[in-house]
Amino acid sequence: GRGRAAVGCVAAAAAGFALKGARMAVAAEDTLAPVAEAAAEGVAPEGVAPEEVVTAEVEEKKETAPKAAAPNAPKPKSPAAGGVRRVKAAIEEVTGVRFPVSMRLEEEDKEANMKFVGAGCVQSVQWMFWKWKETRSIYAADYALGLYVDGIPATAAIKAAAKTAKVGAREARKSLLKDKYDKTLRIVMAREMTAHRLTARIYDRVEADLANEEGFKHLGFLHVWGTWMEEQGSYRGRLPKNIELRLTWKDNGVLISEFRRRDKIVATSSLKSERLARAIFEAYLGENPLSKDAADEILPSLAKEAL
């Protein structure tokens, strides 16, 4: 009897709750109906401020056919191309160093007026004899050497330097060391070496000649330039592989020396000494060069510029 009474009470309570919920739903519907109707008409119902009325608008997305590209429109760049700038380059055979066929003399230059002439390799005796078997040579490549000239003035000057219709390496050397046009020696390290060693080899070639001219004036410029050169490099003045040195002899007699890493200038020096600039170029491309093999590669190519 008690169990049936309990069940009856529970059923009655459930029915009461259901009835109360139904009444609340009807009341809510009666209350919200005017608000919905007013919102649909854009009018605020009684007791509701106009700014509280929200009208929902459904925007239909219309499918449109993609526009055809213009016939002369540029093709979009691939993601792989990114910010990479590709240029044509020549490769020095011994070291594998790349030399762009043209380059800018100054960072702010809009055009690459400096034209590639030729390149060679500067080597030295390899005293670590246990590497002879590996390299099959007693010589080791120190750095690649390339020459760049300002194209149009250089061609005109070389033709003028030739006394005959035939332009050879001798006439090209004469023009390079005498005529006024921008020229650059680009050196790229093929292995690690000290800045002192790189500078000392140039010193040995030019010091005696500069000492015989105008007292100690030109030796002073050589000392200033050499001191700056030996201060470059990383730990203990060492120049890492692939670092670049540009020696530019400008047409106004200024010698600009630049160390570059990944085509970014890391150190630069400028000296107003045409005699020092000529001496450095003579050290590499004169009658008694540091590397005859490199000079023999570059000078004939310079002569061909006038053909």
Side-chain angles (χ1 to χ4, degrees), residues 63-138:
E63 297 183 1
T64 57
K67 297 181 179 180
N72 297 328
K75 295 182 179 180
K77 296 182 179 180
S78 63
V84 178
R85 181 173 60 92
R86 300 185 181 277
V87 296
K88 295 181 179 179
I91 300 177
E92 200 282 316
E93 294 182 356
V94 178
T95 60
V97 172
R98 297 171 61 87
F99 286 88
V101 296
S102 62
M103 68 179 189
R104 294 179 296 176
L105 183 62
E106 304 287 348
E107 291 293 326
E108 60 272 12
D109 289 348
K110 296 182 179 180
E111 297 182 1
N113 294 326
M114 301 299 288
K115 305 302 181 183
F116 173 72
V117 175
C121 176
V122 178
Q123 300 177 324
S124 62
V125 177
Q126 186 173 217
W127 296 107
M128 293 180 288
F129 60 87
W130 56 88
K131 289 190 175 182
W132 293 357
K133 184 177 181 180
E134 178 183 345
T135 61
R136 297 181 181 180
S137 175
I138 64 173

Side-chain angles (χ1 to χ4, degrees), residues 2-24:
R2 293 180 180 179
R4 292 179 181 178
V7 171
C9 290
V10 171
F17 281 123
L19 180 60
K20 185 177 181 180
R23 290 175 179 176
M24 292 175 63

Side-chain angles (χ1 to χ4, degrees), residues 21 23 28 58 65 102 112 124 132 145 147 165 178 201 243 258 271:
R23 290 175 179 176
V58 180
S102 62
S124 62
W132 293 357
L145 173 70
L147 175 65
K178 179 183 177 182
R201 295 177 70 178
I243 199 167
E258 292 179 347
L271 284 174

Side-chain angles (χ1 to χ4, degrees), residues 119-188:
C121 176
V122 178
Q123 300 177 324
S124 62
V125 177
Q126 186 173 217
W127 296 107
M128 293 180 288
F129 60 87
W130 56 88
K131 289 190 175 182
W132 293 357
K133 184 177 181 180
E134 178 183 345
T135 61
R136 297 181 181 180
S137 175
I138 64 173
Y139 295 99
D142 292 332
Y143 50 85
L145 173 70
L147 175 65
Y148 288 80
V149 297
D150 192 354
I152 297 176
T155 301
I158 295 171
K159 286 183 177 180
K163 295 180 180 180
T164 62
K166 184 178 181 181
V167 180
R170 184 171 182 174
E171 288 76 18
R173 178 188 288 114
K174 181 180 178 181
S175 171
L176 181 68
L177 301 177
K178 179 183 177 182
D179 296 320
K180 294 183 180 298
Y181 52 84
D182 295 335
K183 58 210 77 169
T184 297
L185 290 173
R186 181 174 182 258
I187 296 172
V188 182

